[in-house]
Amino acid sequence: MLRVGAHVSIAGGIDNAVGNERAVGGNCGQIFTHSPQVWQDPNVGDEEAEAFRETTAEHLDGPWVVHTSYLVNLCTPKEDLRAKSLDSMQKEVDAADKLGIEFVNVHLGAHTGAGVEAGLDNAVSVLDELSIPEGVTVLIESDAGSGTKLGGDFEHLAYVLEESDQDLDVCVDTAHTFAAGYDLSTAKGVKDTVEEFDDVVGLEHLRCIHLNDSKHACGTNKDEHAHIGEGEIGVEGMETLLNHPELADVPLVLETPTEDGKSFEWNIERVRQLREE
């Protein structure tokens, strides 16, 4: 079964996300529990959590993903930022548990001069301090790899998964992966990238894909999303990804732009057109 959805708004209450997802044609999806630009608690009420769980069970196939705040930096060497990141992550996994959401997605962040290995070790140490509820899994998201940000190389993801005491998995963002230098624009490029991911990380750890095309060329480290099939990854790459047998059951979450008269609804329909059933 094709599970595809988008990152939708929770304006007016988290339970509104279900209707917002249905409105764009999605059967799974992703949310922020609060504004991602500030340090803020999820603040999920009992009634809206119950309504969210009930309407999700009634109308969607799932899963849902909680995307953490953009301020979270697991790799930081700064103690104050580390403490804030840990506190924020703990509140996100607790909120996911309350909402019945299976996945919490997080970027590793930037080492800001500490170095790659130290940055990855910092991330592992924060993750290992979390008390993750049963039924919730933290996903480490692949990154575009600009500056001192980590997660652009598959080896970074594998290191964190191997070194952490937690049972972690991975979310691959296609635009980020492409920007980080993994060519997804051709059938051969997709095949080679999937094989490399399997060799380095393991496909059993791939639990979600952020399906986004890229406005910039492969290896530029520039993170700007494009409509499905209309960016630098293009139709061949997207069609190959969507029909790769090893990826067929992985949930797809779109973070495509709203521009040129096209929004999530157009992009989800585009995915359905490119997927061979």
Side-chain angles (χ1 to χ4, degrees):
M1 179 182 65
L2 176 60
R3 290 180 291 173
V4 58
H7 185 118
V8 295
S9 170
I10 63 164
I14 282 181
D15 50 317
N16 288 338
V18 179
N20 292 337
E21 193 63 64
R22 295 181 71 202
V24 297
N27 58 11
C28 65
Q30 181 175 271
I31 58 171
F32 293 121
T33 61
H34 56 84
S35 170
Q37 309 288 357
V38 296
W39 295 112
Q40 185 177 336
D41 293 350
N43 191 27
V44 179
D46 292 341
E47 289 186 5
E48 65 175 335
E50 183 179 4
F52 177 89
R53 293 193 305 269
E54 289 178 352
T55 51
T56 292
E58 183 178 356
H59 296 295
L60 301 179
D61 297 311
W64 280 106
V65 181
V66 169
H67 195 301
T68 58
S69 167
Y70 292 140
L71 300 181
V72 168
N73 186 350
L74 304 182
C75 294
T76 183
K78 300 175 182 177
E79 282 301 320
D80 58 339
L81 181 53
R82 180 189 189 280
K84 287 181 177 180
S85 298
L86 175 59
D87 179 66
S88 179
M89 280 292 297
Q90 186 62 57
K91 287 171 180 171
E92 296 286 22
V93 296
D94 290 341
D97 183 46
K98 186 172 185 177
L99 291 163
I101 292 179
E102 184 175 356
F103 299 122
V104 173
N105 183 76
V106 66
H107 296 266
L108 288 175
H111 66 70
T112 62
V116 173
E117 187 171 351
L120 294 174
D121 285 338
N122 289 341
V124 170
S125 72
V126 174
L127 291 163
D128 283 354
E129 283 196 42
L130 289 174
S131 177
I132 303 175
E134 186 177 354
V136 176
T137 299
V138 172
L139 304 181
I140 308 301
E141 181 178 344
S142 63
D143 202 274
S146 61
T148 66
K149 289 182 179 178
L150 301 179
D153 295 341
F154 291 160
E155 285 78 7
H156 297 170
L157 307 176
Y159 183 91
V160 172
L161 265 60
E162 290 168 4
E163 295 298 318
S164 176
D165 294 331
Q166 306 279 15
D167 291 326
L168 307 170
D169 285 314
V170 170
C171 171
V172 165
D173 184 306
T174 54
H176 296 173
T177 299
F178 185 70
Y182 298 91
D183 188 5
L184 298 173
S185 65
T186 66
K188 183 180 185 301
V190 170
K191 177 178 179 293
D192 290 347
T193 300
V194 172
E195 288 180 355
E196 183 170 353
F197 181 90
D198 193 26
D199 288 344
V200 176
V201 182
L203 281 166
E204 68 275 12
H205 291 294
L206 181 60
R207 305 297 300 278
C208 180
I209 293 174
H210 282 174
L211 191 72
N212 301 301
D213 211 323
S214 174
K215 289 188 177 181
H216 301 284
C218 183
T220 58
N221 303 120
K222 293 181 178 180
D223 175 17
E224 194 173 2
H225 300 172
H227 296 303
I228 301 300
E230 297 198 349
E232 293 293 324
I233 294 176
V235 173
E236 181 181 343
M238 282 293 166
E239 189 169 24
T240 306
L241 277 163
L242 287 166
N243 293 287
H244 194 294
E246 297 290 349
L247 308 180
D249 296 327
V250 181
L252 310 172
V253 173
L254 278 64
E255 301 167 322
T256 47
T258 297
E259 59 188 20
D260 305 325
K262 300 167 184 173
S263 59
F264 285 141
E265 188 173 7
W266 185 93
N267 282 280
I268 288 174
E269 180 57 29
R270 183 69 163 144
V271 168
R272 297 189 189 280
Q273 291 171 354
L274 293 174
R275 174 72 171 255
E276 299 169 4
E277 295 292 352

